[in-house]
Every structure is written in structure tokens, then in C-alpha cells.
Amino acid sequence: MGTIVNKTIQEATARLKENYEAQKIFDMSLGDCVPNRDAIISIIEGLRTVTFPGFFGSENMAYVSKDNFAGSTLAILYERLFKQVRVALKFDNKELADAEIRAKAEEYTSTFIAKIPDIQAMILKDVDAEFNGDPAAKDHQDIILSYPGIFTIFVYRYAHVLYELNVPYIPRIMTEYAHGLTGIDINPGATIGEYFCIDHGTGIVIGETTTIGDHVKIYQGVTLGALSTRKGQLLSGVKRHPTIENNVVIYANTTILGGETVIGENSVVAGNSFVTTSIPANTKVASMQPELEIKEQK
Ligand SMILES: CC(=O)OC[C@H](N)C(=O)O
């Protein structure tokens, strides 16, 4: 490299170093103590293998016993998840003693692994809901193999368990991975009941404090969102997204906003609606927007 190029690189390096030091988010002393996105994707792949045996992964199920298959997949998952949970806890709280981190990581990982059978059963109910909700589905296998809605719900249901355990970073990395692949953004904090059906799905956004009941069906482009704010961190942990009760259908491209907005059970919300106020049970509605304001936090 010529002298001018070397000088350019040296100057840019010095300036980058200044930037790194000015930003509190870069702590180079952590080494590899940063959650690893690729490892978390491989955990999702392991979960998919154990949730839908024979559909994904490399095993030929004709030659594998169910015990061996589930046991060995769970053992691999435990090791991968334990490592990432440990790293994420350390990354989140640099002051925590290693022994405490290890104990917490063991507890969270064991709790998660113990819940896998229940979560799997729940995901199979979502597959059923998808089948009953979409005449275009050939059969349940078709949905497992190809539907973006079921992939995103599958990732969300496992990520939600980690979110509930207060595991930092990993739940969001999981759901944002699914979001990138499918265009469906379900925050791991959302609470979603049984038999959830997403048809088509592209462009759906479901915010962190959303509550959804059982047998709810939503179409592409639906946003279950929060009213806009400029001082967002003041609302962290506050209910800002709507509640959707049992058996509600929300058609395409509808936006429903606000933590106090409740869509009563058995209601149907028309496509392209903008809803910022509650709707009673058993109602068919289009737009409902008595007020639209950007709430400034005091
Ligand atoms: C889904 C949505 O509108 O979220 C807005 C913002 N991310 C929040 O969580 O409040």
C-alpha cells in the first residue's frame, strides 16, 4: 500500500477509535461475551427440528427412535441455549458474579427446556387454526412446510417463554430473525392465546404489550400498535398496545392503536380500518377514531 493510503487508514482508524470510546455501548474488554446471532438462529433450527420431527433437520425418521431423536436434540439445545443465556446475562449486567450468572443461566435454560412439550402442543393448535382458517391450505403438512405465519408464531411462542423469564436480548433476536424472513413482526412480549391464525401475514406488526385471546385471526398488514410518542422510554413497561378478545377477525391492512383499546369478543374489524377506541363484543366495524393525537409525556 502506498504512503497516502496508509495515512488515510491511520487517520480513519484514529477517528473510529475516538468514536468507539465516546460511545458507551462498545466495551471491547468483553471479548466474545456478546450474544451470538448465528448461535441463536441455530437454536431456532433445533427447536424447529424437535417441534416438527421429520420436517426439518437431517435425520431420517425411519431409522431413529423417538426417544433418541428428542433426547439428543434437547441435549444439543440445552448446551447451545445455556451458553447464549450466560453470555446475554453477562452482557446485560457486567457487575454480576460469574457463579450467579451460571446459576441463573442453568435455571432459565432448564425451565425453558421443560416447557418445550407444552409449547409444541400449543404450536400444533396454531397449525390447526391455520388449516381451519385457510381453504387454500392443502393439509397440516403444507402449513408446517411453507406458511410464513406458522413459522413466525412458532418462533414467537418459544421467544415469549424466554421473555417471561427475563432473559435479555435473545427473545428479540429470535423474533426479529423471523420478522426478517417473513415480514411478520411479533414482539416476544405480546401475550397470544390458543389457536392463533395469521393468513398471508406480510406486514403484520404486533407490539410488546398486546394481548390476544383464543381463536383470533388476522390478515396481512394488520398493526396492533401504540400511539406515537417522542419520549418512548418513559412508557417502557406501560401497556400501550391493544387487547383483542376471543374469536375476533381483523381484515387486511387495519391499524388498531392504544393500550386502552379493546376489541370485544366475536367482533369483526373491516380491512383498511383505523381504530383508536374500544369496540364492544359482537360488533362489525370499520374505522373508529374519536381522537388522534401524539401524546406528549409530561
Ligand atoms: C407496534 C407499535 O406500534 O410499537 C410502537 C413502539 N415500538 C412501542 O412499542 O411502543
Side-chain angles (χ1 to χ4, degrees), residues 223-249:
T223 295
L224 304 178
L227 289 157
S228 186
T229 177
R230 294 199 197 285
K231 294 184 183 159
Q233 290 309 315
L234 292 177
L235 288 179
S236 174
V238 175
K239 171 119 172 104
R240 349 182 257 291
H241 306 95
T243 297
I244 313 296
E245 292 186 346
N246 296 341
N247 299 312
V248 166
V249 177

mmCIF file with all atom_site columns, all heavy atoms in Angstrom, residues 223-249:
data_model
loop_
_atom_site.group_PDB
_atom_site.id
_atom_site.type_symbol
_atom_site.label_atom_id
_atom_site.label_alt_id
_atom_site.label_comp_id
_atom_site.label_asym_id
_atom_site.label_entity_id
_atom_site.label_seq_id
_atom_site.pdbx_PDB_ins_code
_atom_site.Cartn_x
_atom_site.Cartn_y
_atom_site.Cartn_z
_atom_site.occupancy
_atom_site.B_iso_or_equiv
_atom_site.pdbx_formal_charge
_atom_site.auth_seq_id
_atom_site.auth_comp_id
_atom_site.auth_asym_id
_atom_site.auth_atom_id
_atom_site.pdbx_PDB_model_num
ATOM 1   N N   . THR A 1 223 ? -51.733 -3.887  11.973 1.00 0.00 ? 223 THR A N   1
ATOM 2   C CA  . THR A 1 223 ? -50.859 -3.388  13.039 1.00 0.00 ? 223 THR A CA  1
ATOM 3   C C   . THR A 1 223 ? -51.636 -3.332  14.343 1.00 0.00 ? 223 THR A C   1
ATOM 4   O O   . THR A 1 223 ? -52.709 -2.724  14.401 1.00 0.00 ? 223 THR A O   1
ATOM 5   C CB  . THR A 1 223 ? -50.346 -1.967  12.702 1.00 0.00 ? 223 THR A CB  1
ATOM 6   O OG1 . THR A 1 223 ? -49.515 -2.043  11.555 1.00 0.00 ? 223 THR A OG1 1
ATOM 7   C CG2 . THR A 1 223 ? -49.536 -1.379  13.852 1.00 0.00 ? 223 THR A CG2 1
ATOM 8   N N   . LEU A 1 224 ? -51.116 -3.981  15.363 1.00 0.00 ? 224 LEU A N   1
ATOM 9   C CA  . LEU A 1 224 ? -51.653 -3.838  16.722 1.00 0.00 ? 224 LEU A CA  1
ATOM 10  C C   . LEU A 1 224 ? -50.592 -3.020  17.444 1.00 0.00 ? 224 LEU A C   1
ATOM 11  O O   . LEU A 1 224 ? -49.579 -3.551  17.916 1.00 0.00 ? 224 LEU A O   1
ATOM 12  C CB  . LEU A 1 224 ? -51.871 -5.214  17.356 1.00 0.00 ? 224 LEU A CB  1
ATOM 13  C CG  . LEU A 1 224 ? -52.779 -6.149  16.528 1.00 0.00 ? 224 LEU A CG  1
ATOM 14  C CD1 . LEU A 1 224 ? -52.913 -7.510  17.193 1.00 0.00 ? 224 LEU A CD1 1
ATOM 15  C CD2 . LEU A 1 224 ? -54.159 -5.525  16.302 1.00 0.00 ? 224 LEU A CD2 1
ATOM 16  N N   . GLY A 1 225 ? -50.794 -1.709  17.442 1.00 0.00 ? 225 GLY A N   1
ATOM 17  C CA  . GLY A 1 225 ? -49.685 -0.822  17.777 1.00 0.00 ? 225 GLY A CA  1
ATOM 18  C C   . GLY A 1 225 ? -49.958 0.145   18.902 1.00 0.00 ? 225 GLY A C   1
ATOM 19  O O   . GLY A 1 225 ? -50.996 0.105   19.565 1.00 0.00 ? 225 GLY A O   1
ATOM 20  N N   . ALA A 1 226 ? -48.970 1.027   19.091 1.00 0.00 ? 226 ALA A N   1
ATOM 21  C CA  . ALA A 1 226 ? -49.042 2.050   20.141 1.00 0.00 ? 226 ALA A CA  1
ATOM 22  C C   . ALA A 1 226 ? -49.208 3.418   19.493 1.00 0.00 ? 226 ALA A C   1
ATOM 23  O O   . ALA A 1 226 ? -48.755 3.636   18.367 1.00 0.00 ? 226 ALA A O   1
ATOM 24  C CB  . ALA A 1 226 ? -47.765 2.016   20.960 1.00 0.00 ? 226 ALA A CB  1
ATOM 25  N N   . LEU A 1 227 ? -49.861 4.338   20.211 1.00 0.00 ? 227 LEU A N   1
ATOM 26  C CA  . LEU A 1 227 ? -49.924 5.719   19.741 1.00 0.00 ? 227 LEU A CA  1
ATOM 27  C C   . LEU A 1 227 ? -48.516 6.299   19.810 1.00 0.00 ? 227 LEU A C   1
ATOM 28  O O   . LEU A 1 227 ? -47.737 5.959   20.696 1.00 0.00 ? 227 LEU A O   1
ATOM 29  C CB  . LEU A 1 227 ? -50.898 6.525   20.607 1.00 0.00 ? 227 LEU A CB  1
ATOM 30  C CG  . LEU A 1 227 ? -52.373 6.143   20.368 1.00 0.00 ? 227 LEU A CG  1
ATOM 31  C CD1 . LEU A 1 227 ? -53.231 6.509   21.567 1.00 0.00 ? 227 LEU A CD1 1
ATOM 32  C CD2 . LEU A 1 227 ? -52.901 6.810   19.099 1.00 0.00 ? 227 LEU A CD2 1
ATOM 33  N N   . SER A 1 228 ? -48.211 7.191   18.887 1.00 0.00 ? 228 SER A N   1
ATOM 34  C CA  . SER A 1 228 ? -46.842 7.693   18.769 1.00 0.00 ? 228 SER A CA  1
ATOM 35  C C   . SER A 1 228 ? -46.444 8.564   19.965 1.00 0.00 ? 228 SER A C   1
ATOM 36  O O   . SER A 1 228 ? -47.275 9.282   20.525 1.00 0.00 ? 228 SER A O   1
ATOM 37  C CB  . SER A 1 228 ? -46.715 8.499   17.481 1.00 0.00 ? 228 SER A CB  1
ATOM 38  O OG  . SER A 1 228 ? -45.376 8.864   17.294 1.00 0.00 ? 228 SER A OG  1
ATOM 39  N N   . THR A 1 229 ? -45.197 8.475   20.352 1.00 0.00 ? 229 THR A N   1
ATOM 40  C CA  . THR A 1 229 ? -44.676 9.311   21.434 1.00 0.00 ? 229 THR A CA  1
ATOM 41  C C   . THR A 1 229 ? -43.256 9.728   21.089 1.00 0.00 ? 229 THR A C   1
ATOM 42  O O   . THR A 1 229 ? -42.578 9.050   20.329 1.00 0.00 ? 229 THR A O   1
ATOM 43  C CB  . THR A 1 229 ? -44.675 8.550   22.779 1.00 0.00 ? 229 THR A CB  1
ATOM 44  O OG1 . THR A 1 229 ? -44.093 9.385   23.772 1.00 0.00 ? 229 THR A OG1 1
ATOM 45  C CG2 . THR A 1 229 ? -43.883 7.265   22.704 1.00 0.00 ? 229 THR A CG2 1
ATOM 46  N N   . ARG A 1 230 ? -42.812 10.842  21.653 1.00 0.00 ? 230 ARG A N   1
ATOM 47  C CA  . ARG A 1 230 ? -41.425 11.255  21.405 1.00 0.00 ? 230 ARG A CA  1
ATOM 48  C C   . ARG A 1 230 ? -40.515 10.962  22.588 1.00 0.00 ? 230 ARG A C   1
ATOM 49  O O   . ARG A 1 230 ? -39.332 11.187  22.530 1.00 0.00 ? 230 ARG A O   1
ATOM 50  C CB  . ARG A 1 230 ? -41.369 12.738  21.079 1.00 0.00 ? 230 ARG A CB  1
ATOM 51  C CG  . ARG A 1 230 ? -42.052 13.071  19.777 1.00 0.00 ? 230 ARG A CG  1
ATOM 52  C CD  . ARG A 1 230 ? -41.619 14.403  19.242 1.00 0.00 ? 230 ARG A CD  1
ATOM 53  N NE  . ARG A 1 230 ? -42.554 14.874  18.241 1.00 0.00 ? 230 ARG A NE  1
ATOM 54  C CZ  . ARG A 1 230 ? -42.634 14.416  17.013 1.00 0.00 ? 230 ARG A CZ  1
ATOM 55  N NH1 . ARG A 1 230 ? -41.817 13.464  16.614 1.00 0.00 ? 230 ARG A NH1 1
ATOM 56  N NH2 . ARG A 1 230 ? -43.520 14.894  16.168 1.00 0.00 ? 230 ARG A NH2 1
ATOM 57  N N   . LYS A 1 231 ? -41.130 10.529  23.705 1.00 0.00 ? 231 LYS A N   1
ATOM 58  C CA  . LYS A 1 231 ? -40.293 10.209  24.875 1.00 0.00 ? 231 LYS A CA  1
ATOM 59  C C   . LYS A 1 231 ? -40.553 8.761   25.265 1.00 0.00 ? 231 LYS A C   1
ATOM 60  O O   . LYS A 1 231 ? -41.034 8.463   26.359 1.00 0.00 ? 231 LYS A O   1
ATOM 61  C CB  . LYS A 1 231 ? -40.618 11.161  26.025 1.00 0.00 ? 231 LYS A CB  1
ATOM 62  C CG  . LYS A 1 231 ? -40.236 12.597  25.699 1.00 0.00 ? 231 LYS A CG  1
ATOM 63  C CD  . LYS A 1 231 ? -40.465 13.524  26.852 1.00 0.00 ? 231 LYS A CD  1
ATOM 64  C CE  . LYS A 1 231 ? -40.124 14.953  26.436 1.00 0.00 ? 231 LYS A CE  1
ATOM 65  N NZ  . LYS A 1 231 ? -40.765 15.931  27.314 1.00 0.00 ? 231 LYS A NZ  1
ATOM 66  N N   . GLY A 1 232 ? -40.229 7.868   24.332 1.00 0.00 ? 232 GLY A N   1
ATOM 67  C CA  . GLY A 1 232 ? -40.632 6.469   24.424 1.00 0.00 ? 232 GLY A CA  1
ATOM 68  C C   . GLY A 1 232 ? -40.224 5.769   25.704 1.00 0.00 ? 232 GLY A C   1
ATOM 69  O O   . GLY A 1 232 ? -40.993 4.974   26.238 1.00 0.00 ? 232 GLY A O   1
ATOM 70  N N   . GLN A 1 233 ? -39.026 6.029   26.215 1.00 0.00 ? 233 GLN A N   1
ATOM 71  C CA  . GLN A 1 233 ? -38.543 5.253   27.363 1.00 0.00 ? 233 GLN A CA  1
ATOM 72  C C   . GLN A 1 233 ? -39.395 5.478   28.608 1.00 0.00 ? 233 GLN A C   1
ATOM 73  O O   . GLN A 1 233 ? -39.449 4.627   29.487 1.00 0.00 ? 233 GLN A O   1
ATOM 74  C CB  . GLN A 1 233 ? -37.067 5.550   27.638 1.00 0.00 ? 233 GLN A CB  1
ATOM 75  C CG  . GLN A 1 233 ? -36.130 4.986   26.573 1.00 0.00 ? 233 GLN A CG  1
ATOM 76  C CD  . GLN A 1 233 ? -36.389 3.505   26.292 1.00 0.00 ? 233 GLN A CD  1
ATOM 77  O OE1 . GLN A 1 233 ? -36.565 2.695   27.208 1.00 0.00 ? 233 GLN A OE1 1
ATOM 78  N NE2 . GLN A 1 233 ? -36.450 3.125   25.021 1.00 0.00 ? 233 GLN A NE2 1
ATOM 79  N N   . LEU A 1 234 ? -40.107 6.625   28.667 1.00 0.00 ? 234 LEU A N   1
ATOM 80  C CA  . LEU A 1 234 ? -40.988 6.862   29.820 1.00 0.00 ? 234 LEU A CA  1
ATOM 81  C C   . LEU A 1 234 ? -42.161 5.879   29.811 1.00 0.00 ? 234 LEU A C   1
ATOM 82  O O   . LEU A 1 234 ? -42.793 5.653   30.840 1.00 0.00 ? 234 LEU A O   1
ATOM 83  C CB  . LEU A 1 234 ? -41.533 8.299   29.794 1.00 0.00 ? 234 LEU A CB  1
ATOM 84  C CG  . LEU A 1 234 ? -40.505 9.406   30.034 1.00 0.00 ? 234 LEU A CG  1
ATOM 85  C CD1 . LEU A 1 234 ? -41.161 10.772  29.920 1.00 0.00 ? 234 LEU A CD1 1
ATOM 86  C CD2 . LEU A 1 234 ? -39.862 9.244   31.405 1.00 0.00 ? 234 LEU A CD2 1
ATOM 87  N N   . LEU A 1 235 ? -42.450 5.329   28.634 1.00 0.00 ? 235 LEU A N   1
ATOM 88  C CA  . LEU A 1 235 ? -43.583 4.393   28.528 1.00 0.00 ? 235 LEU A CA  1
ATOM 89  C C   . LEU A 1 235 ? -43.135 2.933   28.561 1.00 0.00 ? 235 LEU A C   1
ATOM 90  O O   . LEU A 1 235 ? -43.951 2.035   28.394 1.00 0.00 ? 235 LEU A O   1
ATOM 91  C CB  . LEU A 1 235 ? -44.346 4.651   27.225 1.00 0.00 ? 235 LEU A CB  1
ATOM 92  C CG  . LEU A 1 235 ? -45.165 5.937   27.191 1.00 0.00 ? 235 LEU A CG  1
ATOM 93  C CD1 . LEU A 1 235 ? -45.856 6.081   25.852 1.00 0.00 ? 235 LEU A CD1 1
ATOM 94  C CD2 . LEU A 1 235 ? -46.196 5.939   28.306 1.00 0.00 ? 235 LEU A CD2 1
ATOM 95  N N   . SER A 1 236 ? -41.851 2.701   28.777 1.00 0.00 ? 236 SER A N   1
ATOM 96  C CA  . SER A 1 236 ? -41.349 1.338   28.819 1.00 0.00 ? 236 SER A CA  1
ATOM 97  C C   . SER A 1 236 ? -42.064 0.563   29.945 1.00 0.00 ? 236 SER A C   1
ATOM 98  O O   . SER A 1 236 ? -42.143 1.049   31.074 1.00 0.00 ? 236 SER A O   1
ATOM 99  C CB  . SER A 1 236 ? -39.840 1.379   29.059 1.00 0.00 ? 236 SER A CB  1
ATOM 100 O OG  . SER A 1 236 ? -39.359 0.097   29.229 1.00 0.00 ? 236 SER A OG  1
ATOM 101 N N   . GLY A 1 237 ? -42.620 -0.577  29.612 1.00 0.00 ? 237 GLY A N   1
ATOM 102 C CA  . GLY A 1 237 ? -43.320 -1.389  30.615 1.00 0.00 ? 237 GLY A CA  1
ATOM 103 C C   . GLY A 1 237 ? -44.784 -1.008  30.788 1.00 0.00 ? 237 GLY A C   1
ATOM 104 O O   . GLY A 1 237 ? -45.525 -1.707  31.470 1.00 0.00 ? 237 GLY A O   1
ATOM 105 N N   . VAL A 1 238 ? -45.210 0.118   30.192 1.00 0.00 ? 238 VAL A N   1
ATOM 106 C CA  . VAL A 1 238 ? -46.613 0.535   30.322 1.00 0.00 ? 238 VAL A CA  1
ATOM 107 C C   . VAL A 1 238 ? -47.414 -0.113  29.188 1.00 0.00 ? 238 VAL A C   1
ATOM 108 O O   . VAL A 1 238 ? -46.899 -0.245  28.070 1.00 0.00 ? 238 VAL A O   1
ATOM 109 C CB  . VAL A 1 238 ? -46.705 2.084   30.203 1.00 0.00 ? 238 VAL A CB  1
ATOM 110 C CG1 . VAL A 1 238 ? -48.153 2.552   30.197 1.00 0.00 ? 238 VAL A CG1 1
ATOM 111 C CG2 . VAL A 1 238 ? -45.923 2.735   31.327 1.00 0.00 ? 238 VAL A CG2 1
ATOM 112 N N   . LYS A 1 239 ? -48.659 -0.504  29.454 1.00 0.00 ? 239 LYS A N   1
ATOM 113 C CA  . LYS A 1 239 ? -49.498 -1.109  28.393 1.00 0.00 ? 239 LYS A CA  1
ATOM 114 C C   . LYS A 1 239 ? -49.823 -0.045  27.353 1.00 0.00 ? 239 LYS A C   1
ATOM 115 O O   . LYS A 1 239 ? -50.462 0.956   27.653 1.00 0.00 ? 239 LYS A O   1
ATOM 116 C CB  . LYS A 1 239 ? -50.763 -1.701  29.025 1.00 0.00 ? 239 LYS A CB  1
ATOM 117 C CG  . LYS A 1 239 ? -51.799 -2.153  27.991 1.00 0.00 ? 239 LYS A CG  1
ATOM 118 C CD  . LYS A 1 239 ? -52.104 -3.624  28.073 1.00 0.00 ? 239 LYS A CD  1
ATOM 119 C CE  . LYS A 1 239 ? -53.283 -4.010  27.180 1.00 0.00 ? 239 LYS A CE  1
ATOM 120 N NZ  . LYS A 1 239 ? -52.909 -4.699  25.949 1.00 0.00 ? 239 LYS A NZ  1
ATOM 121 N N   . ARG A 1 240 ? -49.345 -0.248  26.131 1.00 0.00 ? 240 ARG A N   1
ATOM 122 C CA  . ARG A 1 240 ? -49.508 0.749   25.071 1.00 0.00 ? 240 ARG A CA  1
ATOM 123 C C   . ARG A 1 240 ? -50.173 0.184   23.822 1.00 0.00 ? 240 ARG A C   1
ATOM 124 O O   . ARG A 1 240 ? -50.493 0.893   22.901 1.00 0.00 ? 240 ARG A O   1
ATOM 125 C CB  . ARG A 1 240 ? -48.165 1.366   24.625 1.00 0.00 ? 240 ARG A CB  1
ATOM 126 C CG  . ARG A 1 240 ? -47.005 1.073   25.450 1.00 0.00 ? 240 ARG A CG  1
ATOM 127 C CD  . ARG A 1 240 ? -45.752 1.726   25.009 1.00 0.00 ? 240 ARG A CD  1
ATOM 128 N NE  . ARG A 1 240 ? -44.879 0.786   24.316 1.00 0.00 ? 240 ARG A NE  1
ATOM 129 C CZ  . ARG A 1 240 ? -44.258 -0.228  24.927 1.00 0.00 ? 240 ARG A CZ  1
ATOM 130 N NH1 . ARG A 1 240 ? -44.438 -0.466  26.206 1.00 0.00 ? 240 ARG A NH1 1
ATOM 131 N NH2 . ARG A 1 240 ? -43.482 -1.043  24.236 1.00 0.00 ? 240 ARG A NH2 1
ATOM 132 N N   . HIS A 1 241 ? -50.348 -1.125  23.801 1.00 0.00 ? 241 HIS A N   1
ATOM 133 C CA  . HIS A 1 241 ? -50.893 -1.787  22.614 1.00 0.00 ? 241 HIS A CA  1
ATOM 134 C C   . HIS A 1 241 ? -52.250 -2.410  22.960 1.00 0.00 ? 241 HIS A C   1
ATOM 135 O O   . HIS A 1 241 ? -52.523 -2.680  24.127 1.00 0.00 ? 241 HIS A O   1
ATOM 136 C CB  . HIS A 1 241 ? -49.923 -2.873  22.131 1.00 0.00 ? 241 HIS A CB  1
ATOM 137 C CG  . HIS A 1 241 ? -48.526 -2.365  21.908 1.00 0.00 ? 241 HIS A CG  1
ATOM 138 N ND1 . HIS A 1 241 ? -47.544 -2.456  22.876 1.00 0.00 ? 241 HIS A ND1 1
ATOM 139 C CD2 . HIS A 1 241 ? -47.958 -1.723  20.859 1.00 0.00 ? 241 HIS A CD2 1
ATOM 140 C CE1 . HIS A 1 241 ? -46.423 -1.910  22.417 1.00 0.00 ? 241 HIS A CE1 1
ATOM 141 N NE2 . HIS A 1 241 ? -46.647 -1.453  21.202 1.00 0.00 ? 241 HIS A NE2 1
ATOM 142 N N   . PRO A 1 242 ? -53.084 -2.670  21.953 1.00 0.00 ? 242 PRO A N   1
ATOM 143 C CA  . PRO A 1 242 ? -54.471 -3.050  22.245 1.00 0.00 ? 242 PRO A CA  1
ATOM 144 C C   . PRO A 1 242 ? -54.653 -4.464  22.807 1.00 0.00 ? 242 PRO A C   1
ATOM 145 O O   . PRO A 1 242 ? -53.727 -5.270  22.828 1.00 0.00 ? 242 PRO A O   1
ATOM 146 C CB  . PRO A 1 242 ? -55.150 -2.936  20.868 1.00 0.00 ? 242 PRO A CB  1
ATOM 147 C CG  . PRO A 1 242 ? -54.062 -3.057  19.882 1.00 0.00 ? 242 PRO A CG  1
ATOM 148 C CD  . PRO A 1 242 ? -52.818 -2.530  20.520 1.00 0.00 ? 242 PRO A CD  1
ATOM 149 N N   . THR A 1 243 ? -55.890 -4.688  23.241 1.00 0.00 ? 243 THR A N   1
ATOM 150 C CA  . THR A 1 243 ? -56.310 -6.020  23.686 1.00 0.00 ? 243 THR A CA  1
ATOM 151 C C   . THR A 1 243 ? -57.337 -6.528  22.679 1.00 0.00 ? 243 THR A C   1
ATOM 152 O O   . THR A 1 243 ? -58.303 -5.815  22.362 1.00 0.00 ? 243 THR A O   1
ATOM 153 C CB  . THR A 1 243 ? -56.951 -5.920  25.093 1.00 0.00 ? 243 THR A CB  1
ATOM 154 O OG1 . THR A 1 243 ? -55.940 -5.459  25.991 1.00 0.00 ? 243 THR A OG1 1
ATOM 155 C CG2 . THR A 1 243 ? -57.489 -7.262  25.565 1.00 0.00 ? 243 THR A CG2 1
ATOM 156 N N   . ILE A 1 244 ? -57.121 -7.726  22.193 1.00 0.00 ? 244 ILE A N   1
ATOM 157 C CA  . ILE A 1 244 ? -58.034 -8.326  21.219 1.00 0.00 ? 244 ILE A CA  1
ATOM 158 C C   . ILE A 1 244 ? -58.636 -9.556  21.892 1.00 0.00 ? 244 ILE A C   1
ATOM 159 O O   . ILE A 1 244 ? -57.894 -10.483 22.256 1.00 0.00 ? 244 ILE A O   1
ATOM 160 C CB  . ILE A 1 244 ? -57.267 -8.759  19.930 1.00 0.00 ? 244 ILE A CB  1
ATOM 161 C CG1 . ILE A 1 244 ? -56.322 -7.648  19.414 1.00 0.00 ? 244 ILE A CG1 1
ATOM 162 C CG2 . ILE A 1 244 ? -58.229 -9.248  18.856 1.00 0.00 ? 244 ILE A CG2 1
ATOM 163 C CD1 . ILE A 1 244 ? -56.982 -6.394  18.964 1.00 0.00 ? 244 ILE A CD1 1
ATOM 164 N N   . GLU A 1 245 ? -59.939 -9.542  22.073 1.00 0.00 ? 245 GLU A N   1
ATOM 165 C CA  . GLU A 1 245 ? -60.556 -10.657 22.806 1.00 0.00 ? 245 GLU A CA  1
ATOM 166 C C   . GLU A 1 245 ? -60.802 -11.869 21.894 1.00 0.00 ? 245 GLU A C   1
ATOM 167 O O   . GLU A 1 245 ? -60.558 -11.813 20.678 1.00 0.00 ? 245 GLU A O   1
ATOM 168 C CB  . GLU A 1 245 ? -61.857 -10.175 23.465 1.00 0.00 ? 245 GLU A CB  1
ATOM 169 C CG  . GLU A 1 245 ? -61.563 -9.162  24.579 1.00 0.00 ? 245 GLU A CG  1
ATOM 170 C CD  . GLU A 1 245 ? -62.772 -8.729  25.386 1.00 0.00 ? 245 GLU A CD  1
ATOM 171 O OE1 . GLU A 1 245 ? -63.918 -8.978  24.950 1.00 0.00 ? 245 GLU A OE1 1
ATOM 172 O OE2 . GLU A 1 245 ? -62.558 -8.118  26.443 1.00 0.00 ? 245 GLU A OE2 1
ATOM 173 N N   . ASN A 1 246 ? -61.350 -12.941 22.491 1.00 0.00 ? 246 ASN A N   1
ATOM 174 C CA  . ASN A 1 246 ? -61.517 -14.214 21.762 1.00 0.00 ? 246 ASN A CA  1
ATOM 175 C C   . ASN A 1 246 ? -62.347 -14.070 20.479 1.00 0.00 ? 246 ASN A C   1
ATOM 176 O O   . ASN A 1 246 ? -63.271 -13.246 20.422 1.00 0.00 ? 246 ASN A O   1
ATOM 177 C CB  . ASN A 1 246 ? -62.249 -15.231 22.646 1.00 0.00 ? 246 ASN A CB  1
ATOM 178 C CG  . ASN A 1 246 ? -61.439 -15.601 23.877 1.00 0.00 ? 246 ASN A CG  1
ATOM 179 O OD1 . ASN A 1 246 ? -60.232 -15.401 23.915 1.00 0.00 ? 246 ASN A OD1 1
ATOM 180 N ND2 . ASN A 1 246 ? -62.100 -16.136 24.886 1.00 0.00 ? 246 ASN A ND2 1
ATOM 181 N N   . ASN A 1 247 ? -62.029 -14.898 19.519 1.00 0.00 ? 247 ASN A N   1
ATOM 182 C CA  . ASN A 1 247 ? -62.820 -15.050 18.275 1.00 0.00 ? 247 ASN A CA  1
ATOM 183 C C   . ASN A 1 247 ? -62.934 -13.794 17.429 1.00 0.00 ? 247 ASN A C   1
ATOM 184 O O   . ASN A 1 247 ? -63.903 -13.642 16.685 1.00 0.00 ? 247 ASN A O   1
ATOM 185 C CB  . ASN A 1 247 ? -64.261 -15.513 18.596 1.00 0.00 ? 247 ASN A CB  1
ATOM 186 C CG  . ASN A 1 247 ? -64.249 -16.844 19.285 1.00 0.00 ? 247 ASN A CG  1
ATOM 187 O OD1 . ASN A 1 247 ? -63.570 -17.766 18.833 1.00 0.00 ? 247 ASN A OD1 1
ATOM 188 N ND2 . ASN A 1 247 ? -64.965 -16.942 20.398 1.00 0.00 ? 247 ASN A ND2 1
ATOM 189 N N   . VAL A 1 248 ? -61.989 -12.881 17.541 1.00 0.00 ? 248 VAL A N   1
ATOM 190 C CA  . VAL A 1 248 ? -62.034 -11.660 16.717 1.00 0.00 ? 248 VAL A CA  1
ATOM 191 C C   . VAL A 1 248 ? -61.348 -11.939 15.376 1.00 0.00 ? 248 VAL A C   1
ATOM 192 O O   . VAL A 1 248 ? -60.365 -12.681 15.302 1.00 0.00 ? 248 VAL A O   1
ATOM 193 C CB  . VAL A 1 248 ? -61.338 -10.497 17.460 1.00 0.00 ? 248 VAL A CB  1
ATOM 194 C CG1 . VAL A 1 248 ? -61.047 -9.321  16.527 1.00 0.00 ? 248 VAL A CG1 1
ATOM 195 C CG2 . VAL A 1 248 ? -62.181 -10.042 18.647 1.00 0.00 ? 248 VAL A CG2 1
ATOM 196 N N   . VAL A 1 249 ? -61.912 -11.341 14.313 1.00 0.00 ? 249 VAL A N   1
ATOM 197 C CA  . VAL A 1 249 ? -61.257 -11.372 12.995 1.00 0.00 ? 249 VAL A CA  1
ATOM 198 C C   . VAL A 1 249 ? -60.888 -9.941  12.626 1.00 0.00 ? 249 VAL A C   1
ATOM 199 O O   . VAL A 1 249 ? -61.725 -9.039  12.741 1.00 0.00 ? 249 VAL A O   1
ATOM 200 C CB  . VAL A 1 249 ? -62.203 -11.948 11.915 1.00 0.00 ? 249 VAL A CB  1
ATOM 201 C CG1 . VAL A 1 249 ? -61.532 -11.891 10.534 1.00 0.00 ? 249 VAL A CG1 1
ATOM 202 C CG2 . VAL A 1 249 ? -62.608 -13.374 12.254 1.00 0.00 ? 249 VAL A CG2 1
#
